Every structure is written in structure tokens, then in C-alpha cells.
Amino acid sequence: MTQRSGFPFCCLTRRLRIPQLLLLCVTFSCVCHALFCFLVQPGLEGSTNLFHLLSNKSNQEQGYCETEARLASSLDFWTLSSENLIAVLPVDPVKENYVRKVKNCIFSIAFPTPFKSRVRLVAVSKEVLEDILDLDLSVSETDAFIQLVSGEKIVFGSIPLTHRYGGHQFGIWADQLGDGRAHLIGIYRNRQGEKWELQLKGSGKTPYSRNGDGRAVLRSSVREFLCSEAMHYLGIPTSRAASLVVSDDEVWRDQFYNGNIVKERGAVVLRVAKSWFRIGSLEILSHYGELDLLRSLLDFIIQEHFPSVNVQEPNRYVDFFSIVVSETAQLIALWMSVGFAHGVCNTDNFSLLSITIDYGPFGFMEAYNPDFVPNASDDERRYKIGNQANIGMFNLNKLLQALNPLLDRGQKHLAAQILEGYPVLYYTRFTELFKAKLGLLGERKGDGDLIAFLLHLMEKTEADFTMTFRQLSEITQSQLQELDIPQQFWALKMISKHQLFPAWVSQYLLRLKSNMNDSDSERRKRMTTVNPRYVLKNWMAESAVQKAERNDFSEVHLLQQILQHPFQKHSAAEKAGYSSPTPSWAEGLRVSCSS
């Protein structure tokens, strides 16, 4: 048997004799066929085509040899599987794809709806393809890849699933929500032994689509692709984007909910994450009293994603909750450190793994403003950037309410105490991050006040958040001490107009002197590794979207390249003005939930 690139049987075929190998192949074929017919056949009529008639065990189970593995140059023997999920978690017995109330299950089977028109690949992430999915970049140029990432074809053996969940939206229980336009097309185990769930977003209607059409448009898909990758390179836990395709299918959207319905083009993002379970995944089960299922799902999540928690321990749900509380505080503090506002922090958008998911009307704050709201439809400013930590507390409280039916009296008391500790966890991490942004070493009384003082000056002068910290990373102490800020440090020059700026500089320079064994050059070098020069500001994304809608994807590619190196100065980025003041046309730019 000839070994092909990415062929997962490289060791297995060498250990087995021919009769054993034939028996194994027959066994694999029978198991897959039986599972496929039982679960999927009733819902196949009118569904997408299937390809690659290959039984679908994980790479590790197939005797995958990491030492001999190479990146796959085609999808011929590249496999996905849904087995890890459906072997443990119940699937909706109804196979037909129509909008309905679903109960007593975690997933429904639903196939993506292929586009009717031409599909074009807009962008791919080389790192996601090669480092996560073991695919050579050249695979993205093939028809099979386009068919896979657009939802036209499904890898045989991988049953497409849509997830049932509920959630609190803008503080109000919204009942069943679920994957209304997303399809989980399988799990991939890569050569490092990592399992990644692949999900198409914008791939058509599901049982959870409610009144929606199951589609995403090019505008929001460009933003999601760019931002999820940008967040990764900023060091913030996030789902990843593997690819973005656009069609010529017409999708109608009222972008700002003002009655102005416009025609846009449908698009699909292939996004990957270790898990797509969110707080709402547990809320829906607790709400309907499906406690056995709630317990099963929790045990599955703990066993798969929380290795430090012993699934046999009576207090496992409290231990799980403690980790989620801590990591949620960490995630939101990281958001704040780069001026990121998620825009729709509903419980159904909060990952149980504390990664950033479900990019919609997000925004990176430009002029520092605690009341910054990127979402044009958030009239009450519930999800303003300065309220994200409080929303984290609200969402964690809803998670605790979902867990409570499984906890005894003592465990409930302990979990409540853990939740009460969230503000301290958040503030501690927030302070640590902002001290690093200012180049401060060690612990000194008054560090929190120094940070708050600077943020106050930034708010009063409407200074650019990202560039203020970046320029503090680049300016010398002697230049600061002179208080005559060079024009190149335009964000600091804006703050310097405030009458209290000299007082802050004096306190800051005094604090820097307490840094042990530190030099000014070392301080600046250290600060430039934590203070990005480039983030995906709304005006940048909007400029790229406008060109993309004219089939010019050059700025999408430029932003993708630059945002992969956000801490390094880039000549093309400087020429494009990405580290310059916000253009006048972009002031006040916000986006909506319509996508």
C-alpha cells in the first residue's frame, strides 16, 4: 500500500497482515454504514452530497504516526468524525430540518444548505490549516476544499450537527436559541493529539433558525474572520477562523433595524474551537428540568476539557464552576487590556471554556471611553465596554443557577462564595495587565491609582486607547520628563494638553525608578511586547468590507497579514494610516447585530 501525504494508516498497515487488514476494513465499513443509516438516512432527502467513502475513526485510533506525519496535500484521506459527541450525548430523533421546539437532546442532525450561485474563496488562515488541521495551504486551492468549507459536501462518516441551547439575551431569558445558522461538521484530531470542532457559520437553516434565513453576509463574515484571527495574535483566547467564502446568493438585511432593507451577499466562515459549549448549553437543560441530561453533559465537558477536575469527585461541579469563574475574569480583563468590546455578552455567547466566541457587533475602542458601545442596537448600553466585568458576574450567576439543581446545600454555599470572589479575581488580573502595559515591575502601593489616573486623563482628553499605551512604550523617559511631546507621539500629545498631565508624568517616572535592575531601553522593549500597534478598529474593518463588496479583497488580505503581527511596525500599515488618528469619516461608527 502506497503511503500518501496525510494518510493516517501509516503505522497500522505495517503491523497487520493482509487477512487482518481486510477484516479491519470490513469492520470499519459495517460500523460506519450502520451508524449512518440509523442516524442520518431519514434526513438525507434533499440534503447535500457526501464524498470520500472512508470509514471515519480518529487519526489517533487509526494508528497515526506523528513522527512520519506530513501535511495532507489533499482531502482524499483527511477525516472528520462526530463520533466523540453522538456516542455520549443524545441526538434529536426528528431528522427533518424544520424550525421547532426541541427537547431532551443536545444536538439535532441538520445538513448545510449549499449556495445556488458561484462560490469564491476570499481568505484562509495558513496557521489554522497547517498547525491545527494538518492541511497544506495548497489544499485551499482545490474544489474539494471549497465544497467542504461552503457546506456543499460533507466528509462521509461525519454527521453534521446543530447545537441546542438557550440563554439570557440583554438580561432576559430568551428560551430556546441554538445554532440558527451554524453547522458543526465534525471533530478533527490533529497530529498533536488535539481535538478541534469545525463549524460552518452562515451555512443555512436549522431547527433553531427561528425567523432567520440561516445565512451570514459578507460584511459580518469579513469582520469575524479578521477579528478572531487578530484576537489570537493578541494572545487572547478565541475561536479561530480557517476560511471565508462568499457567494453571489442574495441575502436581504435590515442592518440598522430602521426599515432600510438592502441586498447583500451570503458568506460562510469555517471556524474552529476546542468546544462550542456555552453557558446557555446548560441553562436550557436546567430550565426544562432535564437534570439527567444536564449531569451527562457536564460530566462530558469536564472529562473532555477540564483535566484538573476529577469527574468522579462529588464536588466536581463546584470545582468546574470555580475554574469557569476564574477564567472568565481572566478573559474579560484581557478584553479590557486591548480595548475590546464584545458587543453582545449574552449567556449564549459566553463560552464554558472561557474563549471569545460568536463575533458580531464587536469593536475595539478608539478614543478612550468607558461608555463605548459598538452595537448600534444596544440602546440601553448594557454591553458598553465599562460594564463587561459586571456582565461577566451576571452571566456567571446564571451559570450557577443552572448548576444549582445538581448541588447539595453545602455545595451551593461554596459555589456562592466562589462567585462572590469574582470581583477580586477580575480586579487583580486587570491591574496586573495594566501594570505590564505601563512597564511596572513588582508590587507598589498606589499602582492601581496610577493606572486610574492615566485612564481618567485619557477619558477627559478622548485620547486613543491603543496608541496611548503604544506610544508610552516608544517614548523615552527623558522625552516624557521634558513634557514637550514630539508630534510623532500624537496620542500622548493629546493627553499632554490636560493640566494634570505633568502630575501624572511625575508619579509615573518616580514609579519607574523603583523597577529593580531595569533600564529605559529594557522598559520600552518590554512594553512593546504587550502594547499592540495595530488592532482591528471599526474604520479599518469597514474600509475592507466596502472594498470586498466590490470584489476587491486586497484590504482583507492586507489586514490579515498585519494583524498577525500586531506588535511590530509594518510599513504597509503605516502607509495605510493604521496607527494614525481615526479618519473623520469614521468617527462614531458602530455596527449592528444584523449579520
Side-chain angles (χ1 to χ4, degrees):
M1 183 178 290
T2 303
Q3 179 181 346
R4 299 195 186 186
S5 173
F7 189 45
F9 290 109
C10 54
C11 294
L12 186 62
T13 55
R14 294 176 185 173
R15 292 199 301 269
L16 296 176
R17 296 178 180 177
I18 295 299
Q20 292 173 307
L21 181 59
L22 289 174
L23 177 61
L24 183 63
C25 289
V26 171
T27 302
F28 278 178
S29 178
C30 291
V31 169
C32 275
H33 179 74
L35 180 64
F36 180 77
C37 291
F38 175 73
L39 288 176
V40 183
Q41 194 64 39
L44 274 180
E45 188 174 348
S47 70
T48 60
N49 296 322
L50 301 176
F51 73 115
H52 308 325
L53 300 181
L54 178 69
S55 62
N56 192 33
K57 291 285 183 180
S58 71
N59 291 339
Q60 192 171 28
E61 291 167 336
Q62 290 171 325
Y64 186 82
C65 291
E66 183 175 342
T67 56
E68 297 186 28
R70 293 177 294 171
L71 296 179
S73 58
S74 76
L75 291 174
D76 288 345
F77 296 102
W78 184 84
T79 63
L80 294 174
S81 174
S82 307
E83 178 184 352
N84 190 56
L85 296 172
I86 62 177
V88 178
L89 303 173
V91 175
D92 181 7
V94 179
K95 303 301 185 295
E96 290 78 13
N97 187 8
Y98 62 93
V99 175
R100 59 185 180 273
K101 199 67 168 284
V102 179
K103 291 189 176 182
N104 299 309
C105 69
I106 305 298
F107 298 105
S108 294
I109 296 172
F111 283 81
T113 304
F115 288 118
K116 298 177 182 178
S117 62
R118 177 184 64 127
V119 176
R120 176 175 179 179
L121 182 68
V122 173
V124 294
S125 168
K126 182 176 185 290
E127 183 181 272
V128 174
L129 259 60
E130 295 187 348
D131 295 350
I132 294 178
L133 301 180
D134 300 332
L135 292 172
D136 190 271
L137 183 61
S138 62
V139 174
S140 65
E141 301 171 1
T142 65
D143 289 340
F145 182 82
I146 301 295
Q147 291 167 351
L148 176 68
V149 302
S150 65
E152 182 177 347
K153 291 187 178 179
I154 298 296
V155 175
F156 180 78
S158 180
I159 301 167
L161 303 172
T162 55
H163 177 35
R164 170 193 176 216
Y165 55 83
H168 282 80
Q169 296 193 328
F170 293 89
I172 300 172
W173 174 246
D175 207 10
Q176 177 179 291
L177 298 168
D179 290 333
R181 53 179 173 169
H183 295 79
L184 196 159
I185 59 172
I187 300 175
Y188 180 74
R189 186 192 291 268
N190 65 20
R191 61 189 187 274
Q192 284 83 34
E194 302 168 334
K195 287 186 287 189
W196 292 85
E197 297 183 5
L198 280 66
Q199 186 187 79
L200 299 177
K201 180 177 179 180
S203 43
K205 285 188 176 183
T206 79
Y208 309 99
S209 294
R210 292 172 286 172
N211 297 321
D213 58 14
R215 291 300 187 193
V217 296
L218 178 61
R219 163 176 45 85
S220 62
S221 300
V222 165
R223 288 170 52 83
E224 169 144 5
F225 180 89
L226 289 174
C227 194
S228 54
E229 289 302 282
M231 292 284 274
H232 168 73
Y233 291 105
L234 286 169
I236 297 175
T238 178
S239 59
R240 302 292 303 276
S243 64
L244 166 62
V245 295
V246 63
S247 73
D248 292 327
D249 282 24
E250 296 178 351
V251 179
W252 296 89
R253 288 290 184 271
D254 183 357
Q255 182 179 354
F256 296 105
Y257 301 101
N258 58 6
N260 183 26
I261 300 176
V262 297
K263 180 175 67 176
E264 302 189 53
R265 286 188 291 167
V268 172
V269 175
L270 172 60
R271 51 188 196 172
V272 300
K274 294 293 183 66
S275 171
W276 294 100
F277 290 123
R278 66 266 327 269
I279 292 176
S281 304
L282 306 180
E283 283 188 288
I284 191 74
L285 304 179
S286 182
H287 179 80
Y288 283 102
E290 300 169 21
L291 301 188
D292 289 341
L293 189 49
L294 174 63
R295 187 177 290 104
S296 296
L297 178 57
L298 272 166
D299 289 345
F300 175 83
I301 292 170
I302 290 170
Q303 189 157 345
E304 288 288 316
H305 304 291
F306 292 80
S308 64
V309 178
N310 186 345
V311 75
Q312 303 299 326
E313 283 290 326
N315 285 336
R316 60 190 181 277
Y317 302 143
V318 176
D319 295 339
F320 158 80
F321 181 67
S322 178
I323 294 174
V324 176
V325 169
S326 177
E327 293 188 352
T328 298
Q330 157 84 353
L331 177 64
I332 298 178
L334 283 167
W335 287 356
M336 298 299 289
S337 73
V338 294
F340 175 79
H342 183 280
V344 190
C345 296
N346 298 326
T347 57
D348 54 292
N349 293 333
F350 258 50
S351 162
L352 290 173
L353 272 60
S354 302
I355 62 173
T356 314
I357 60 171
D358 294 354
Y359 291 89
F362 66 83
F364 283 89
M365 180 169 53
E366 297 179 31
Y368 179 74
N369 176 13
D371 292 330
F372 168 64
V373 177
N375 184 358
S377 57
D378 186 3
D379 296 329
E380 297 180 359
R381 312 184 81 86
R382 175 181 177 82
Y383 295 137
K384 63 184 181 181
I385 193 169
N387 200 38
Q388 289 186 136
N390 293 330
I391 293 300
M393 181 81 165
F394 176 91
N395 290 351
L396 290 168
N397 183 55
K398 296 305 177 186
L399 172 59
L400 179 55
Q401 290 180 21
L403 296 177
N404 271 337
L406 304 184
L407 306 180
D408 61 30
R409 184 174 180 180
Q411 291 168 338
K412 290 177 182 178
H413 178 70
L414 183 57
Q417 287 183 318
I418 291 170
L419 183 58
E420 288 176 4
Y422 166 84
V424 173
L425 289 172
Y426 170 78
Y427 180 74
T428 300
R429 188 58 181 137
F430 177 93
T431 303
E432 290 172 350
L433 290 168
F434 275 80
K435 282 174 60 179
K437 290 175 73 67
L438 289 175
L440 309 182
L441 299 176
E443 299 289 336
R444 293 291 185 275
K445 184 179 179 180
D447 283 349
D449 293 336
L450 185 65
I451 295 167
F453 192 176
L454 175 61
L455 294 178
H456 172 74
L457 297 182
M458 291 170 65
E459 181 179 2
K460 293 300 181 183
T461 57
E462 298 183 338
D464 186 279
F465 178 83
T466 299
M467 291 310 298
T468 293
F469 284 102
R470 180 66 187 199
Q471 290 171 10
L472 279 172
S473 308
E474 298 172 346
I475 198 169
T476 65
Q477 289 190 44
S478 60
Q479 286 173 312
L480 264 180
Q481 193 164 15
E482 291 172 2
L483 295 176
D484 185 16
I485 309 298
Q487 188 60 44
Q488 71 192 78
F489 302 114
W490 53 270
L492 290 177
K493 199 168 184 67
M494 183 177 293
I495 301 176
S496 70
K497 297 176 181 178
H498 197 284
Q499 59 181 358
L500 295 179
F501 181 69
W504 182 83
V505 169
S506 178
Q507 292 180 27
Y508 180 52
L509 294 177
L510 183 63
R511 174 62 177 86
L512 289 177
K513 287 181 180 179
S514 68
N515 284 350
M516 298 294 293
N517 302 317
D518 196 29
S519 66
D520 194 41
S521 61
E522 285 297 316
R523 170 194 67 86
R524 285 182 284 141
K525 181 180 179 181
R526 189 170 64 249
M527 289 173 65
T528 55
T529 65
V530 295
N531 289 313
R533 189 173 181 88
Y534 312 110
V535 296
L536 184 63
K537 295 182 177 180
N538 267 342
W539 70 267
M540 299 177 192
E542 179 64 18
S543 178
V545 166
Q546 288 180 3
K547 289 183 179 178
E549 288 175 340
R550 300 192 299 269
N551 288 322
D552 177 0
F553 303 107
S554 59
E555 194 160 358
V556 173
H557 299 150
L558 175 61
L559 276 170
Q560 182 184 1
Q561 179 184 4
I562 290 166
L563 294 171
Q564 289 176 347
H565 307 282
F567 303 100
Q568 301 175 14
K569 194 170 184 178
H570 194 291
S571 59
E574 299 302 302
K575 184 177 181 181
Y578 290 162
S579 63
S580 302
T582 302
S584 58
W585 65 266
E587 291 180 2
L589 183 66
R590 294 198 295 167
V591 296
S592 77
C593 286
S594 175
S595 56

